[in-house]
Amino acid sequence: LLQGAGALTAGGAGGAEEAGADDGAGSRAEQCAAELPAADEATCAAAFDAAKMSPEDAAPFMRGCVIDVCAAQDLRAALGAVAAAAEAASVEGQVHFATRPDWCFEVGGGRPLNGSRV
């Protein structure tokens, strides 16, 4: 992963300033979500690139990263998105319970109903 926020582009988080530093954190995040500042997107893209993550692996995390960097007004917010993407990418595969019936358990007489005790 990244060694620190210094690995990010020096010009990032510029959109955070445009988002209105005087607003509360909630309204700033809402404005960031609506605008998705290009400077913050570049910061996130650089963070994913520095972590050697493909654009395909980074794509599901990009919007959240941009909003976090913009709202926090901190380049280090991109590190959280990179960490989440790296964790998601490190999964080796899905568990297919149908192929492992010994991993299955019965709930509510064979029907998964609300209120069934496990």
Side-chain angles (χ1 to χ4, degrees):
L1 293 180
L2 294 175
Q3 296 300 313
L8 302 178
T9 61
E17 296 167 5
E18 299 166 12
D22 295 332
D23 296 339
S27 60
R28 182 177 329 141
E30 291 169 3
Q31 188 171 359
C32 291
E35 295 176 3
L36 294 174
D40 297 326
E41 185 171 353
T43 297
C44 291
F48 287 117
D49 187 54
K52 298 184 180 4
M53 301 197 85
S54 72
E56 294 80 21
D57 288 340
F61 301 91
M62 184 62 76
R63 178 175 164 71
C65 179
V66 173
I67 293 168
D68 289 349
V69 170
C70 176
Q73 298 181 353
D74 190 338
L75 299 174
R76 293 173 294 178
L79 300 177
V82 170
E87 185 176 332
S90 70
V91 175
E92 300 237 349
Q94 296 179 353
V95 175
H96 298 280
F97 287 102
T99 62
R100 297 297 305 262
D102 53 318
W103 290 4
C104 297
F105 54 92
E106 187 174 321
V107 178
R111 294 182 305 245
L113 302 173
N114 288 340
S116 297
R117 293 177 184 238
V118 178

